[in-house]
Amino acid sequence: MPLDVVHSVCPHDCPSTCALEVERLDSRTIGRVRGSRVNTYTAGVVCAKTARYAERVHHPDRLGEPLLRTGPKGSGQFRPIAWDEALDRVAEAFIAAVRRHGSEAVWPYYYAGTMGLVQRDGINRLRHVMRYSGQHSTICVTLADRGYVAGTGAKLGVDSREMAESDLIVIWGGNPVSTQVNVMTHITRARRERGAKLVVIDPYRTGTAEAADLHLAVRPGTDGALACGVMHILFKEGFADRAYLAKYTDVPDRLEAHLKTRDPEWAERITGVPVEMIYQFARMFGTTRRSYIRLGYGFSRSRNGAAQMHAASCLPAVTGAWQYRGGGALWGQGTIYRWDKTLIEGLDAVDPSIRQLDQSRIGPVLVGEPDALEHRGPVTALLVQSTNPMVVAPELLKVHKGFARDDLFVCVHEQFMTETAAMADIVLPATTFLEHDDVYQASGHSYIQIGPKVIEPHAKCRSNHEVIQGLARRLGASHRGFEMTEWQIIDETLAASGWPDAATVRDAGGHDCIPDFETAHYLNGFAHADGKFHFAPDWKALGPGFAGMPELPDHWTMIDQATPEHPFRLVTAPARNFLNTSFTETPTSQKQEGRPQAMIHPQDLHALGIADGAPVRLGNRRASVVVHACAFDGLQRGVVVVESIWPNRAFVEGVGINALVSADAGAPQGGAVFHDTAVWIKAA
């Protein structure tokens, strides 16, 4: 029997940010984890990964004490040391790097192993106070953010709970069955209570697509063409809401004229989606007022992702679906939280002259490519928290080469001996979300939530905040945030941002920040100065890499095109039982996923002379990787899908799938291009 049941929040990189009920068996042990029924978005449902979280927090391979490397990098040879010695060594290495090459030689590197604002973003306070190299965080949402804001003017959309009141739900560029299970809860309710239809637009037949009434399997990187073909029909067949367009959009006449040459036949040639299916979807959307588009993370994985996101987000503006309850679109709700993160991130200490290194280009940075370094000095010291770049970053061969440098000092703060931790000079054991305090915002819903400490830390683990505090003291970094507890920072940040105090938010199970109906549906005007939805975006205002971006919604051809040399387009979509590289260490996830495999159309396998289940080599100019083939007819010919992110060691030759992925920056302001890769395939 549990001692009690404690409210918490799932910290992982998923827009659901589920409210949890955690069984506490004693001061160091948890039992089952369930979704909270108090939170109307989570509605009692969590993914299977989080439900079995005890398997992770009490895993026998959890790191429990600081480690000092004693053998070659990557050898796994470490010995335990005390915390004071570990932090002293890290501080001394940073001081030496600064003395030799200047403050920008140190690069604090992090991401979303936890989505808690204090534990994730507090590393920036140390960065800013010490004038270490900045991080342009591009690996997740940068491309899609720019594309959505190009049209709406804000990262704001229709309350996700309104899907239950929709008559047509379009999941475009996402697979919530695997990655955001709560979306399916609200879709199921709409289908059961309203007879709502579900359309899925995705390059392959995912679990979500299997549940759909209509699945449009586009070629990767061609969603903009599909959107244009659909809008062509909406205008031509009288589904465009002329009054809404005149009141709420910028250039509807220009858009209509532009789309006359973007007919369904044109779209079919680019996307591979049959004309009749394009008509079917367009007529479903055009005849349904309560049409809700849930835009997904797939848009943020292609060189043309911002342009594609913008094109897809135009549909509800053409039909005026934003006017109706259960109608409109959602990408994310980031704008509604209006955070003042000065205290958390040390924004009062920012030096704008310090370079900003692209997170997704860590490989080129570490191997010393001048453009990646902004033509300044090398990075010779890293502090890594909440991420695993040796597996997740693009151009893995460069990443591996960079981490192997003898002149690079690396400190990794982690829960497990990841492949990145194995390359470190110092490894520090980290708490899980249940072992520290934090505050969370959501993207897929609208709650601020407090995740209080539930159990005592495992062994000698310390939180991200505690590590940053310890380093700050040794480095002489002065900022009052280093002297405060996590709870004090949470409380003050909430107050500065105009929200209730931490205890109030915790005791209420969260604070719902959703704006009123008119604001969420942009009925008071879109968030541009003219109050209009922009069919003609000002790309120049959204980033320096705007050159060549389409003036109006279109198919932008600047992707890694299939060629006779590289005839297949590769998508590295998320695996259901992993979350980036979290959960790859748990036995249940490993058992359910089996092994890495390449989903290839049976006709392509036949043409290649490769049997189902046989090892195949995928390659391009960057690298080659061996996986096992899986005959799969749920995608177009010429498309290959490798669900990941598996550890490198899970692949036949010990090299992971991201070795094939380019570190090129997407337009207009960067972004990793994980689903935008052309490859050849051969028998291994």
Side-chain angles (χ1 to χ4, degrees), residues 629-684:
C630 172
F632 181 66
D633 63 2
L635 39 63
Q636 293 193 40
R637 293 196 64 181
V639 177
V640 55
V641 174
V642 178
E643 292 185 335
S644 219
I645 303 170
W646 286 87
N648 294 295
R649 62 181 179 274
F651 289 81
V652 174
E653 295 180 334
V655 178
I657 196 65
N658 285 339
L660 304 177
V661 173
S662 171
D664 288 354
Q669 201 181 24
V673 296
F674 291 109
H675 301 348
D676 189 358
T677 307
V679 297
W680 47 257
I681 300 177
K682 302 175 182 177

Side-chain angles (χ1 to χ4, degrees), residues 304-325:
N304 63 0
Q308 291 193 103
M309 169 64 87
H310 173 253
S313 72
C314 290
L315 268 65
V318 172
T319 65
W322 287 104
Q323 300 167 89
Y324 310 109
R325 190 161 190 87

Side-chain angles (χ1 to χ4, degrees), residues 85 175 186 321 326 384 571 615 621 647 668:
E85 181 186 353
N175 180 20
H186 302 289
V384 180
V571 172
R621 295 181 183 91

Side-chain angles (χ1 to χ4, degrees), residues 4 546 549:
D4 56 7
F546 62 89
M549 297 193 73

Side-chain angles (χ1 to χ4, degrees), residues 215-240:
H215 172 214
L216 306 178
V218 294
R219 293 187 182 115
T222 65
D223 303 74
L226 176 62
C228 288
V230 169
M231 288 189 286
H232 173 99
I233 298 167
L234 295 177
F235 277 106
K236 185 176 181 180
E237 297 195 353
F239 299 125

Side-chain angles (χ1 to χ4, degrees), residues 219 221-222 225-226 265-273 554-555 636:
R219 293 187 182 115
T222 65
L226 176 62
E265 289 75 19
W266 168 86
E268 179 187 48
R269 289 193 295 273
I270 296 169
T271 66
V273 177
D554 213 338
H555 171 59
Q636 293 193 40

